[in-house]
Amino acid sequence: MSLIRPTRRLAADPEGLAEAGRLLRTGRLVAFPTETVYGLGADATDGQAVAAIYEAKGRPSFNPLIAHLAEPDAARALGRFDAAADALARAFWPGPLTLVVPVAAGAGVSELARAGLDTVGLRVPDHPVARAILTAAGRPIAAPSANRSGHVSPTCAAHVLADLDGRIDAVVDGGPTAVGVESTIIACLGGHPVLLRPGGIARAAAEAVIDRPLAAASGGATIAPGMLASHYAPKAMIRLDARDVLPGEALLAFGPDVPEGAGLVLNLSPSGNLAEAAANLFGHLRRLDAAGAGRIAVMPIPAQGLGEAIRDRLTRAAAPRS
Ligand code: TXA
Ligand code: MG
């Protein structure tokens, strides 16, 4: 499959959704919206199709990808669920939760999609367009975020095209995504459930369901590369927890009390609403990049609820680039 190809824009109407399903069934790459961010989909059972994802994203190494399913039962059939995984799936699927569980015998998810691991990341997105495409495809669909490797995740079709136009077969335009940060990833591998990545489901909500605190991922054993420093990087340098603006900085604000002095200000949520801030996060970072902001001061964001995922992505964006 050649790297350069015309990228079709498909509408989120019955024809577009059926065509997206047909393309996925024939090993093509199709970006589509989920409730979190846009994903770059390929047939998870087809190693060549999965390899094309890495090529299109320019991802240097093979990381495990999340397999997306239209229905909770279809997802459950691919893994072995312990009591915690079972409770979490019941509580949050469909929704912005990825469960990493031991892969079931005969699951069919390619070795490459699992990066050779004997575990599998499973997710049932809560988005009508995603679920219609997954139903039309009729098989597990591997879908990392639909951005070039190292860029921030796309929250609208224009972001996808800015990164991947000419490198993928199609993008289905389903409008802006509602959650705006990626799914929460929890590994349930028999022992204590581990939070691999904070995301669209708040830690406290997941902990309430399993009735105990989530363990922190330990560095060495961590196999979620989204946890690497500088993974969600815009071009600009980022200064976190800023209460003022230094000369030459643009400001990524949060809440009503915005310090003076920035030439360019984008507010994640003027009312201080964390869900609104999450939905705006990646789009605002892209707009600041596009405006040529060299340095961005980011106002303090509280760590509760979705704030944990927002702070996690901003901390990575601020990390030194390797
Ligand atoms: O919200 C989301 O999760 C989006 C949308 C498109 O569904 N997808 C997404 O995929 O963020 P990606 O590839 O950008 O991030 C998936 C993360 C990676 O850090 C990967 O290492 C981890 O999930 N992951 C997947 N399978 C895993 C496994 N078996 N074990 C450990 N980590 C896994
Ligand atoms: Mg990603």
Side-chain angles (χ1 to χ4, degrees):
M1 199 175 286
S2 74
L3 186 54
I4 303 302
R5 65 193 79 175
T7 299
R8 295 168 59 193
R9 282 75 165 157
L10 298 176
D13 58 18
E15 271 153 62
L17 300 175
E19 180 62 5
R22 194 191 66 76
L23 288 168
L24 287 168
R25 284 198 307 276
T26 53
R28 302 303 177 130
L29 301 181
V30 179
F32 58 85
T34 77
E35 78 279 37
T36 57
V37 301
Y38 274 67
L40 176 56
D43 181 349
T45 68
D46 175 345
Q48 257 182 290
V50 173
I53 288 181
Y54 291 100
E55 193 183 25
K57 283 183 63 106
R59 214 178 217 192
S61 58
F62 292 150
N63 303 322
L65 302 177
I66 299 168
H68 295 66
L69 289 305
E71 297 296 335
D73 285 346
R76 283 166 178 279
L78 301 184
R80 299 203 308 275
F81 284 60
D82 63 10
D86 188 59
L88 289 166
R90 268 178 218 287
F92 299 115
W93 279 354
L97 172 72
T98 294
L99 290 171
V100 171
V101 298
V103 67
V109 175
S110 67
E111 291 255 339
L112 187 54
R114 291 183 285 112
L117 300 170
D118 53 10
T119 59
V120 63
L122 298 170
R123 169 157 138 71
V124 181
D126 183 15
H127 193 291
V129 172
R131 293 184 80 186
I133 291 169
L134 294 170
T135 301
R139 62 198 66 191
I141 296 298
S145 50
N147 50 278
R148 289 295 288 268
S149 181
H151 286 189
V152 297
S153 295
T155 55
C156 63
H159 295 167
V160 175
L161 289 167
D163 275 20
L164 297 175
D165 194 10
R167 303 174 71 90
I168 62 176
D169 296 291
V171 56
V172 179
D173 189 347
T177 62
V179 177
V181 291
E182 300 86 347
S183 60
T184 298
I185 305 180
I186 299 175
C188 296
L189 300 172
H192 206 108
V194 177
L195 179 64
L196 293 181
R197 178 177 75 183
I201 297 288
R203 170 199 291 272
E207 290 178 338
V209 165
I210 56 173
D211 204 20
R212 56 183 155 161
L214 286 164
S218 58
T222 294
I223 23 130
M227 306 186 71
L228 294 178
S230 185
H231 190 77
Y232 299 89
K235 296 188 197 85
M237 297 303 295
I238 290 187
R239 185 166 67 89
L240 297 175
D241 293 318
R243 293 175 193 282
D244 54 3
V245 179
L246 301 178
E249 283 183 330
L251 181 66
L252 187 60
F254 176 77
D257 303 316
V258 178
E260 304 276 297
L264 174 60
V265 181
L266 292 181
N267 199 325
L268 290 168
S269 172
S271 67
N273 179 306
L274 287 168
E276 181 183 26
N280 284 328
L281 177 64
F282 292 139
H284 279 15
L285 287 174
R286 280 179 186 259
R287 281 172 64 194
L288 289 167
D289 257 356
R295 285 176 295 135
I296 304 171
V298 183
M299 287 177 65
I301 315 273
Q304 306 96 282
L306 281 178
E308 185 177 6
I310 297 170
R311 292 187 62 87
D312 171 82
R313 304 305 187 272
L314 285 168
T315 302
R316 289 174 211 296
R321 312 291 150 77
S322 49

